[in-house]
Amino acid sequence: MARIVRIHEYGDASVLKLEDLDVPAPAADEVQIGVKAIGLNRAEVMFRNHAYLQEAEFPSRLGYEAAGVVVAMGSAVTGIRIGDAVGLIPPLDIARWGTYGELANVPAHLVVKSPDNLSFVEAAAAWMQYVTAWGALIEQAKLQQGDFVLVTAASSSVGLAAFQMARMVGATAIAITRTRAKKQALLDAGAAHVIVSDEEDVVERVMALTDGQGARVVFDPVGGPSFEPLTQSMARGGILLEYGALSPEPTPFPLFTVLAKSLTLKGYLYAEIVSDPQALSRAKAFILEGLESGALRPIIARTFALNDIQEAHRYLEANQQIGKVVITV
């Protein structure tokens, strides 16, 4: 028996139920983890609210990220031993391998031995943010020394990961935030510059910071009305990677700006990397190097106990945090 979080219906945080359940042995290609920490993601809030791309089959587990110790392995698993401290690259099914609980069966090919310098809390907070940022910035945009990258929703874990990756390759990250409440925290977290969009003209400020050239790369999960000034802030031949739709408002298509600047606008999903074995291998190598050297270090906003999973979800939904919310088990 293990304590497992499930939902029996869609709704607010109160639908998250901590239950004592039997957990089956792992399948041939799975590893069973004794969970020590769980990284929370907005996708899990959306899933719980019936606003996600995957439908639940009730009662449903949920959860993408975890770190812990290997306690059992399927018959086909190699390269991992019982007792190894590991982190999980989030699978593509939020429910089938749900990580909210004391035990989780997960795909063996997505389990990564954690570097010795990484705590369980940090390991649980690492892989979603770094794989997401790596796939967009390094794999697809080819971010490199001398580039400028605009990062919106900058206080999210993925936004903070983007700052760290930009520094790793010698690029300059410009964070865009709506109010000045988080400005200093974003600078402390690694942004080279912060633009407060409620107080400053984004286009004018970007052009001043880039000597009139604009940013070659934009990393945006928002869309909506801010999309147009983002394209106006870009360098000729630049690329904008859209990886979300946080704005409830329509997103205009800035046709003349796109034509005049020969811009590339690309929709991007984390799944593009996880479903491509070669890309995933490159991501693992880059991220592990960064974690081992300390160049990549997850920023933890707050931790909660497993018993407080409802409170943790409410805190995440309040959108006040800088960095990752983590459950300790």
Coordinates of all heavy atoms in Angstrom, one line a residue, residues 129 149-164 173-179 182-183 185-187 189-191 193-195 219-222 243 246 299 319 321-324:
Q129 N 11.4 21.7 -17.0 CA 11.8 23.1 -17.3 C 13.0 23.1 -18.3 O 13.1 23.8 -19.3 CB 12.1 23.9 -16.1 CG 13.2 23.5 -15.2 CD 13.6 24.5 -14.1 OE1 13.8 25.6 -14.4 NE2 13.6 24.0 -12.9
V149 N 17.8 37.0 -26.5 CA 16.5 36.3 -26.4 C 15.6 36.9 -25.5 O 15.9 37.3 -24.4 CB 16.8 34.8 -26.0 CG1 17.5 34.7 -24.7 CG2 15.5 34.0 -25.9
L150 N 14.3 37.2 -26.0 CA 13.3 37.7 -25.2 C 12.5 36.6 -24.5 O 12.1 35.6 -25.2 CB 12.3 38.5 -26.0 CG 12.8 39.8 -26.8 CD1 11.7 40.5 -27.4 CD2 13.6 40.7 -25.9
V151 N 12.3 36.7 -23.2 CA 11.6 35.6 -22.4 C 10.4 36.2 -21.7 O 10.6 37.1 -20.9 CB 12.6 35.0 -21.4 CG1 11.9 33.9 -20.6 CG2 13.9 34.5 -22.1
T152 N 9.2 35.8 -22.1 CA 8.0 36.2 -21.4 C 7.6 35.2 -20.4 O 8.1 34.1 -20.4 CB 6.9 36.5 -22.5 OG1 6.5 35.2 -23.1 CG2 7.3 37.5 -23.5
A153 N 6.6 35.5 -19.6 CA 6.2 34.6 -18.4 C 7.5 34.3 -17.7 O 7.8 33.1 -17.4 CB 5.5 33.4 -18.9
A154 N 8.3 35.3 -17.5 CA 9.7 35.0 -17.1 C 9.9 34.5 -15.7 O 11.0 33.9 -15.4 CB 10.5 36.4 -17.2
S155 N 8.9 34.6 -14.8 CA 9.1 34.1 -13.5 C 8.7 32.6 -13.4 O 8.9 32.0 -12.3 CB 8.3 34.9 -12.5 OG 6.9 34.8 -12.8
S156 N 8.2 32.0 -14.5 CA 8.0 30.6 -14.5 C 9.3 29.8 -14.4 O 10.3 30.3 -14.7 CB 7.2 30.2 -15.7 OG 8.0 30.3 -16.9
S157 N 9.2 28.5 -14.1 CA 10.4 27.7 -14.0 C 11.0 27.6 -15.4 O 12.3 27.6 -15.5 CB 10.1 26.3 -13.5 OG 9.1 25.6 -14.3
V158 N 10.2 27.5 -16.5 CA 10.8 27.5 -17.8 C 11.5 28.8 -18.2 O 12.5 28.8 -18.8 CB 9.7 27.1 -18.8 CG1 10.3 27.1 -20.3 CG2 9.2 25.7 -18.5
G159 N 10.9 29.9 -17.8 CA 11.5 31.2 -18.0 C 12.8 31.3 -17.3 O 13.8 31.8 -17.9
L160 N 12.9 30.9 -16.1 CA 14.2 30.9 -15.3 C 15.2 30.0 -16.0 O 16.4 30.3 -16.0 CB 13.9 30.5 -13.9 CG 12.9 31.4 -13.1 CD1 12.8 30.9 -11.7 CD2 13.3 32.9 -13.1
A161 N 14.7 28.8 -16.4 CA 15.6 27.9 -17.1 C 16.2 28.5 -18.4 O 17.4 28.3 -18.7 CB 14.9 26.6 -17.5
A162 N 15.4 29.3 -19.1 CA 15.9 30.0 -20.3 C 17.0 31.0 -20.0 O 18.0 31.1 -20.7 CB 14.7 30.8 -21.0
F163 N 16.9 31.7 -18.8 CA 18.0 32.6 -18.4 C 19.3 31.8 -18.3 O 20.4 32.2 -18.8 CB 17.8 33.3 -17.1 CG 16.5 34.1 -17.0 CD1 16.0 34.4 -15.7 CD2 15.8 34.5 -18.1 CE1 14.8 35.1 -15.6 CE2 14.6 35.2 -18.0 CZ 14.1 35.5 -16.7
Q164 N 19.3 30.7 -17.6 CA 20.5 29.9 -17.3 C 21.1 29.3 -18.6 O 22.3 29.3 -18.7 CB 20.1 28.8 -16.3 CG 19.7 29.3 -14.9 CD 19.3 28.2 -13.9 OE1 19.5 27.0 -14.2 NE2 18.8 28.6 -12.8
A173 N 19.8 37.2 -22.1 CA 18.4 37.0 -21.8 C 17.7 38.3 -21.4 O 18.2 39.0 -20.4 CB 18.1 35.9 -20.8
I174 N 16.6 38.7 -22.0 CA 15.9 39.9 -21.6 C 14.5 39.4 -21.2 O 13.7 38.8 -22.0 CB 15.7 40.9 -22.8 CG1 17.0 41.3 -23.3 CG2 14.8 42.1 -22.4 CD1 17.0 42.2 -24.6
A175 N 14.2 39.6 -19.9 CA 12.9 39.1 -19.3 C 11.9 40.2 -19.5 O 12.2 41.4 -19.4 CB 13.1 38.8 -17.9
I176 N 10.7 39.8 -19.8 CA 9.5 40.7 -19.9 C 8.5 40.3 -18.8 O 8.1 39.2 -18.8 CB 8.9 40.7 -21.3 CG1 9.9 41.2 -22.3 CG2 7.7 41.6 -21.3 CD1 9.4 41.1 -23.8
T177 N 8.2 41.3 -17.9 CA 7.2 41.0 -16.9 C 6.3 42.2 -16.8 O 6.6 43.3 -17.2 CB 8.0 40.9 -15.5 OG1 7.0 40.5 -14.5 CG2 8.7 42.1 -15.1
R178 N 5.0 41.9 -16.4 CA 4.0 42.9 -16.5 C 4.2 44.0 -15.5 O 4.0 45.2 -15.8 CB 2.6 42.2 -16.3 CG 1.4 43.1 -16.6 CD 0.1 42.3 -16.6 NE -0.1 41.7 -15.4 CZ -0.6 42.3 -14.3 NH1 -0.9 43.6 -14.3 NH2 -0.8 41.6 -13.2
T179 N 4.5 43.7 -14.2 CA 4.7 44.7 -13.2 C 6.1 44.6 -12.6 O 6.8 43.7 -12.8 CB 3.7 44.5 -12.0 OG1 4.0 43.4 -11.3 CG2 2.2 44.4 -12.6
K182 N 8.2 41.7 -9.6 CA 9.2 40.6 -9.7 C 10.5 41.0 -10.4 O 11.3 40.2 -10.6 CB 8.5 39.5 -10.5 CG 7.3 38.8 -9.8 CD 6.8 37.7 -10.6 CE 5.6 37.1 -9.9 NZ 5.0 36.0 -10.7
K183 N 10.7 42.3 -10.6 CA 11.8 42.8 -11.4 C 13.1 42.4 -10.8 O 14.0 41.8 -11.4 CB 11.8 44.3 -11.6 CG 13.0 44.8 -12.4 CD 12.8 46.3 -12.8 CE 14.0 46.8 -13.6 NZ 13.9 48.2 -13.9
A185 N 13.8 40.2 -8.5 CA 13.9 38.7 -8.4 C 14.3 38.1 -9.7 O 15.1 37.1 -9.7 CB 12.6 38.1 -7.9
L186 N 13.9 38.6 -10.8 CA 14.2 38.1 -12.1 C 15.7 38.5 -12.4 O 16.4 37.6 -13.0 CB 13.3 38.7 -13.2 CG 11.9 38.2 -13.1 CD1 11.0 39.0 -14.1 CD2 11.8 36.7 -13.4
L187 N 16.1 39.6 -12.0 CA 17.6 40.0 -12.2 C 18.4 39.1 -11.3 O 19.5 38.6 -11.8 CB 17.8 41.4 -11.8 CG 17.2 42.5 -12.8 CD1 17.3 43.9 -12.1 CD2 18.0 42.5 -14.1
A189 N 17.7 36.1 -10.5 CA 17.6 34.8 -11.0 C 18.4 34.6 -12.3 O 18.5 33.5 -12.8 CB 16.2 34.4 -11.3
G190 N 19.0 35.7 -12.9 CA 19.9 35.5 -14.0 C 19.5 36.3 -15.3 O 20.2 36.2 -16.3
A191 N 18.4 37.0 -15.3 CA 18.1 37.8 -16.5 C 19.1 38.9 -16.5 O 19.4 39.6 -15.6 CB 16.6 38.4 -16.4
H193 N 18.6 41.7 -18.3 CA 17.8 42.9 -18.3 C 16.3 42.5 -18.1 O 15.9 41.4 -18.4 CB 17.8 43.6 -19.7 CG 19.2 43.9 -20.1 ND1 20.0 45.0 -19.6 CD2 20.0 43.3 -21.0 CE1 21.2 45.0 -20.2 NE2 21.2 43.9 -21.1
V194 N 15.5 43.4 -17.5 CA 14.1 43.2 -17.3 C 13.3 44.4 -17.8 O 13.7 45.5 -17.5 CB 13.8 42.9 -15.8 CG1 12.3 42.8 -15.5 CG2 14.5 41.7 -15.2
I195 N 12.3 44.1 -18.6 CA 11.4 45.1 -19.1 C 10.1 45.0 -18.4 O 9.5 43.9 -18.4 CB 11.2 45.0 -20.6 CG1 12.6 45.2 -21.3 CG2 10.2 46.0 -21.1 CD1 12.6 44.9 -22.8
F219 N 10.9 33.7 -26.9 CA 10.5 32.4 -26.2 C 9.2 32.8 -25.5 O 9.3 33.4 -24.4 CB 11.6 31.9 -25.3 CG 11.3 30.5 -24.8 CD1 10.8 29.5 -25.6 CD2 11.7 30.2 -23.5 CE1 10.6 28.2 -25.1 CE2 11.6 28.9 -23.0 CZ 11.0 27.9 -23.8
D220 N 8.0 32.5 -26.0 CA 6.8 33.0 -25.5 C 5.7 31.9 -25.2 O 5.4 31.2 -26.2 CB 6.2 34.1 -26.4 CG 4.9 34.6 -26.0 OD1 4.8 35.2 -24.8 OD2 3.9 34.5 -26.7
P221 N 5.1 31.9 -24.0 CA 4.0 30.9 -23.8 C 2.7 31.7 -23.6 O 1.7 31.1 -23.1 CB 4.4 30.3 -22.5 CG 5.0 31.4 -21.7 CD 5.7 32.3 -22.7
V222 N 2.6 33.0 -24.0 CA 1.5 33.8 -23.7 C 0.5 34.0 -24.9 O -0.7 33.7 -24.8 CB 1.9 35.2 -23.1 CG1 0.7 36.0 -22.7 CG2 2.8 34.9 -21.9
Y243 N 5.1 28.5 -27.2 CA 4.9 27.2 -26.5 C 3.7 27.2 -25.5 O 3.6 26.3 -24.7 CB 6.2 26.8 -25.8 CG 6.6 27.5 -24.6 CD1 6.5 27.0 -23.4 CD2 7.3 28.8 -24.7 CE1 6.9 27.7 -22.2 CE2 7.7 29.4 -23.6 CZ 7.5 28.9 -22.3 OH 7.9 29.5 -21.2
L246 N -1.3 31.3 -22.8 CA -1.8 31.8 -21.5 C -2.8 32.9 -21.6 O -3.7 33.1 -20.7 CB -0.6 32.2 -20.6 CG 0.4 31.1 -20.2 CD1 1.5 31.7 -19.4 CD2 -0.3 30.0 -19.4
I299 N 15.6 26.8 -9.5 CA 15.2 27.7 -8.4 C 13.9 27.2 -7.8 O 12.9 27.1 -8.5 CB 15.1 29.1 -9.0 CG1 16.4 29.6 -9.5 CG2 14.5 30.1 -8.0 CD1 16.4 30.9 -10.3
N319 N -0.1 32.3 -8.7 CA 0.9 32.9 -9.6 C 1.8 34.0 -9.0 O 2.1 35.0 -9.6 CB 0.1 33.5 -10.8 CG 1.0 33.8 -12.0 OD1 2.0 33.0 -12.2 ND2 0.8 34.8 -12.8
Q321 N 4.7 33.0 -7.3 CA 6.0 32.4 -7.1 C 7.0 32.7 -8.1 O 6.7 33.1 -9.3 CB 5.9 30.8 -7.0 CG 5.8 30.1 -8.3 CD 4.4 30.1 -8.9 OE1 3.5 30.7 -8.4 NE2 4.3 29.4 -10.0
I322 N 8.3 32.7 -7.7 CA 9.4 32.8 -8.6 C 10.1 31.4 -8.6 O 10.7 31.0 -7.6 CB 10.5 33.8 -8.2 CG1 9.8 35.2 -8.1 CG2 11.6 33.9 -9.2 CD1 9.5 35.9 -9.4
G323 N 9.9 30.6 -9.6 CA 10.5 29.3 -9.7 C 9.5 28.2 -9.4 O 8.3 28.3 -9.6
K324 N 10.0 27.0 -9.0 CA 9.3 25.8 -9.0 C 8.7 25.5 -7.6 O 9.3 25.7 -6.6 CB 10.3 24.6 -9.3 CG 9.6 23.3 -9.7 CD 9.0 23.4 -11.1 CE 8.6 22.0 -11.6 NZ 8.1 22.0 -12.9

